[in-house]
Amino acid sequence: VSGTFSGPALPSLGIRRLGPADASVLELLARDDADFDLRGDGPARAPLSREDAEAHLSDPHVLHWVASADGAILGSLFCHVLPMRKQPATELLLYEIGVRSAWRRRGVGRLLVSAMVDWMKANGIVTAWVLADNPEAERFYAACGFGPGSGPAVYLELHR
Ligand SMILES: CC(C)(COP(=O)(O)OP(=O)(O)OC[C@H]1O[C@@H](n2cnc3c(N)ncnc32)[C@H](O)[C@@H]1OP(=O)(O)O)[C@@H](O)C(=O)NCCC(=O)NCCS
């Protein structure tokens, strides 16, 4: 998937799926985590070790696309392929999407979601779901075709 936009300063974008040799991209995403996130000013995050990054990126249940322009990564979408215990046998959890703060509202996020949807079509997966954690993201997902989920889910965590 690739696309070109009409704004004067916007370079042409390419989308690619990360593979086992892309540990350095995970390092960059961890280092610049805040710029891809809503908060904008948080600390860098610790990256996976090289070995763990290679294992993660080799996992067929991990789908990770990045949008780049002129060699710079502007956005990232990371999802999990979830095996189910009944049909349909697989669905997608869109775990995380982030576009660099300076590059938002230029179609980068939409292009990343279309790469995911193309992958779903090619692999016979009919459902993707996401937990939106802010109202702007909700509007973005709606613009990309997401609708309300089927149940009144409550997000909970357990820490030990
Ligand atoms: C959400 C996010 C990924 C969207 O990426 P983006 O590249 O800015 O989105 P796009 O430019 O492709 O937007 C596509 C459409 O989504 C909608 N949209 C996107 N951002 C929006 C916003 N802040 N408010 C309202 N609608 C928005 C619009 O309809 C937009 O089309 P338009 O610009 O022609 O009006 C980006 O804002 C981001 O990284 N946010 C911080 C991280 C985050 O919140 N991630 C999701 C956590 S659940």
Side-chain angles (χ1 to χ4, degrees), residues 38-138:
L38 194 61
R39 352 173 229 120
D41 59 355
R45 304 292 290 266
L48 294 176
S49 68
R50 276 277 154 149
E51 191 184 23
D52 286 349
E54 282 174 26
H56 171 81
L57 292 166
S58 302
D59 186 335
H61 296 98
V62 167
L63 304 175
H64 201 153
W65 289 272
V66 291
S68 308
D70 294 339
I73 290 176
L74 306 183
S76 142
L77 186 162
F78 166 43
C79 43
H80 294 279
V81 180
L82 300 177
M84 296 288 119
R85 66 174 169 77
K86 54 183 167 49
Q87 295 291 346
T90 318
E91 59 187 38
L92 279 198
L93 165 56
L94 197 177
Y95 185 80
E96 182 183 70
I97 182 168
V99 172
R100 280 201 183 276
S101 51
W103 291 94
R104 290 179 191 159
R105 296 308 288 269
R106 319 281 290 267
V108 177
R110 202 192 281 273
L111 202 60
L112 284 161
V113 171
S114 42
M116 183 191 82
V117 171
D118 286 350
W119 192 92
M120 291 171 71
K121 285 180 189 155
N123 289 276
I125 294 184
V126 294
T127 303
W129 56 276
V130 66
L131 296 171
D133 66 8
N134 65 80
E136 292 83 9
E138 280 185 58

